[in-house]
């Protein structure tokens, strides 16, 4: 019998807890149960038909071969044009790289700059993948808790956490899991701090388009040139165009950084899927009505679910300004019934077949992340089931 021994660098890596929740939901469905999945970080909409048709056309035209590792020139141009239209900043195409989703973008970005022992400042609650990639690189995550400050990240909070080993700061606005949006002035202050302290800024903007009025999307691409040159803007088509399975993300950054990321990509996955790249051009250049329709639908759901959660006994829920997650504080309920957030989520799954993600997975014990990328009817049933569990336990 062979004993498998994994590499040391994976000793502390956890499987993605959000993906584990999706797998648990799939298992229950396979057993014949009706599952209300409020765990998935995935739009419940179809990819718009113009994008699907563009992929079919690309396949018919034989766009099925390798492309340059960093993506086709036409898509890089479309990304540069899109960012210019959104922000007024024109990046040259050698400052653009296309990857297999925003996740690969962040991976390439960190692998290209982090040496063992380097510190990466990450506001908490955070997307589960950030610290895992930092650890994979041999780096150290320095977390800044924001939940006790109403999720309001400021440059001062970051400055207090900096040591001489700090190498980079990650900002994710709108945030997964909290839905909080960092105001443009704060992003600018953070970028100035990065300039003053010789740090790289990674701005994960995969929910960029999902900011609810009166708020407006803001990209680090809008920063003045002197601040922008040390910022990497990470974007994704996954959420914006309901294209999660297509695996198209991108980064805009200093051309030298992009060159290193391209090197990593050329020896790992090579190019993102060819016909998905051609479809991505249609997504960015075609009509944008579907994005506005999705935003309006998410807003209607948010406006229903946040007050509904806040009405649960012992629960408070802050209004998320973006993304499609509510992040209610269950700590009073959990203290009363003597459970941890993960136990509560597990009971909800087993007893009511409702999937939610425990806040502890995101560095915020006592919270639950509830995705409202689901129908209003399912949201209603989900909240009813949560109420019933609270009553049963209490
Ligand atoms: N960044 C954040 C904050 C996310 O929530 C996600 C997906 O859930 C991603 C990046 C990566 O998405 P993708 O790899 O599908 O582009």
């Amino acid at each position: 019998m062979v004993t498998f021994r994994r590499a040391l660098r994976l000793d502390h890596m956890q499987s993605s807890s959000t993906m584990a929740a999706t797998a648990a939901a799939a298992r229950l469905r396979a057993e014949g149960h009706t599952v209300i999945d409020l765990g998935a970080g995935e739009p419940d909409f179809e990819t718009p038909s113009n994008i699907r048709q563009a992929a079919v056309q690309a396949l018919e035209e034989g766009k099925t071969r390798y492309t340059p590792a960093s993506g086709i020139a036409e898509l890089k141009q479309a990304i540069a044009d899109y960012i210019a239209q959104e922000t007024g900043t024109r990046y040259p195409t050698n400052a653009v790289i296309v990857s297999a989703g925003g996740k690969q973008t962040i991976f390439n970005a960190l692998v290209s700059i982090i040496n063992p022992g380097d510190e990466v400042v990450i506001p908490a609650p955070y997307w589960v993948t950030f610290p895992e990639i930092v650890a994979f690189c041999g780096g150290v995550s320095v977390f800044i808790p924001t939940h006790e400050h109403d999720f309001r990240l400021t440059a001062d909070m970051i400055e207090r956490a900096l040591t001489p080993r700090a190498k980079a700061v990650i900002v994710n606005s709108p945030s997964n899991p909290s839905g909080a949006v960092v105001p443009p002035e704060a992003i600018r202050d953070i970028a100035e701090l990065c300039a003053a302290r010789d740090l790289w800024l990674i701005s994960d903007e995969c929910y960029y388009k999902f900011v609810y009025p009166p708020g407006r999307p803001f990209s680090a691409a809008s920063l003045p040139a002197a601040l922008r040159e040390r910022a990497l803007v990470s974007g994704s088509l996954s959420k914006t165009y309901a294209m999660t399975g297509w695996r198209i993300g991108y980064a805009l950054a200093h051309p030298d950084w992009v060159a290193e990321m391209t090197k990593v990509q050329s020896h790992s996955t090579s190019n993102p899927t060819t016909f998905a790249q051609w479809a991505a051009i249609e997504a960015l250049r075609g009509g944008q009505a579907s994005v506005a329709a999705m935003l309006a639908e998410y807003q209607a759901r948010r406006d229903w679910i946040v007050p509904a959660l806040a009405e649960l006994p012992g629960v408070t829920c802050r209004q998320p300004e973006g993304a499609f997650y509510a992040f209610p504080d269950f700590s009073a309920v959990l203290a009363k019934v003597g459970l941890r957030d993960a136990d509560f989520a597990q009971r909800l799954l087993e007893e009511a077949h409702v999937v939610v993600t425990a806040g502890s997975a995101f560095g915020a014990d006592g919270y639950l992340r509830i995705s409202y990328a689901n129908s209003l009817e399912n949201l209603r049933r989900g909240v009813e089931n949560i109420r019933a569990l609270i009553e049963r336990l209490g």
Side-chain angles (χ1 to χ4, degrees):
M1 272 283 259
V2 171
T3 306
F4 175 76
R5 285 192 214 292
R6 67 174 169 239
L8 295 178
R9 85 173 72 80
L10 297 186
D11 266 0
H12 300 289
M13 188 181 272
Q14 308 287 327
S15 299
S16 163
S17 45
T18 45
M19 293 208 167
T22 305
R27 174 176 53 79
L28 283 171
R29 271 196 204 99
E31 289 168 6
H33 299 290
T34 304
V35 175
I36 301 173
D37 189 355
L38 311 182
E42 174 160 48
D44 57 321
F45 302 106
E46 290 294 339
T47 305
S49 68
N50 61 318
I51 303 172
R52 285 183 274 143
Q53 278 160 21
V56 171
Q57 189 183 332
L59 280 169
E60 295 295 346
E61 288 172 359
K63 291 181 167 131
T64 55
R65 296 173 183 272
Y66 291 136
T67 74
S70 61
I72 53 176
E74 291 86 341
L75 177 53
K76 289 189 205 174
Q77 191 59 57
I79 292 165
D81 290 350
Y82 169 79
I83 293 293
Q85 192 185 312
E86 292 286 321
T87 67
T89 300
R90 178 150 291 284
Y91 284 83
T93 49
N94 66 352
V96 183
I97 172 172
V98 188
S99 298
K103 196 174 265 187
Q104 191 188 16
T105 303
I106 304 283
F107 185 87
N108 290 342
L110 287 167
V111 166
S112 303
I113 57 168
I114 297 305
N115 291 314
D118 284 350
E119 291 179 354
V120 179
V121 176
I122 302 177
Y126 46 77
W127 180 44
V128 291
T129 296
F130 295 139
E132 298 291 357
I133 302 179
V134 171
F136 180 90
C137 298
V140 177
S141 293
V142 176
F143 300 115
I144 305 181
T146 64
H147 33 294
E148 281 132 34
H149 304 272
D150 201 25
F151 303 110
R152 290 191 199 286
L153 177 68
T154 64
D156 285 349
M157 290 161 90
I158 293 176
E159 189 165 17
R160 285 196 290 276
L162 293 180
T163 78
R165 310 203 74 155
K167 187 69 162 283
V169 174
I170 300 181
V171 173
N172 170 219
S173 174
S175 152
N176 173 11
S178 72
V181 169
V182 183
E185 318 79 66
I187 303 247
R188 204 190 154 103
D189 292 347
I190 293 166
E192 272 169 5
L193 176 65
C194 289
R197 302 291 284 267
D198 194 19
L199 302 170
W200 295 109
L201 172 62
I202 296 179
S203 180
D204 181 341
E205 302 178 4
C206 84
Y207 298 93
Y208 165 80
K209 273 290 179 185
F210 298 139
V211 175
Y212 302 107
R216 290 186 31 215
F218 178 80
S219 168
S222 309
L223 291 167
L227 300 180
R228 202 168 62 226
E229 64 177 12
R230 52 180 62 251
L232 178 140
V233 172
S234 176
S236 170
L237 275 65
S238 289
K239 323 283 176 175
T240 314
Y241 299 101
M243 289 176 70
T244 43
W246 298 65
R247 311 310 301 134
I248 298 289
Y250 57 84
L252 303 114
H254 192 295
D256 291 348
W257 198 350
V258 165
E260 296 305 319
M261 290 167 67
T262 302
K263 209 156 75 183
V264 174
Q265 189 158 297
S266 75
H267 289 298
S268 50
T269 57
S270 294
N271 63 276
T273 301
T274 303
F275 48 89
Q277 290 191 61
W278 286 98
I281 297 175
E282 171 60 24
L284 294 169
R285 293 207 191 278
Q288 302 293 309
S290 51
V291 180
M294 286 189 263
L295 177 66
E297 183 61 37
Y298 288 141
Q299 183 169 3
R301 295 168 182 183
R302 177 198 67 164
D303 291 347
W304 182 82
I305 197 164
V306 171
L309 288 166
E311 273 171 21
L312 295 173
V315 176
T316 58
C317 190
R318 180 186 177 278
Q319 173 87 321
E321 302 101 354
F324 43 67
Y325 308 104
F327 201 57
D329 181 355
F330 271 65
S331 48
V333 176
L334 296 170
K336 186 164 163 233
V337 302
L339 288 180
R340 289 175 314 143
D341 52 9
D343 305 324
F344 188 90
Q346 190 61 29
R347 298 274 303 254
L348 202 58
L349 179 70
E350 301 295 342
E351 294 172 27
H353 303 150
V354 176
V355 186
V356 300
T357 316
S360 48
F362 310 96
D365 290 9
Y367 288 74
L368 295 180
R369 189 192 74 170
I370 298 184
S371 164
Y372 48 88
N374 210 322
S375 65
L376 267 176
E377 193 200 330
N378 278 342
L379 297 180
R380 274 198 193 94
R381 287 167 50 207
V383 173
E384 269 166 32
N385 280 305
I386 293 172
R387 179 185 289 280
L389 181 60
I390 294 175
E391 286 170 2
R392 247 193 337 274
L393 292 168

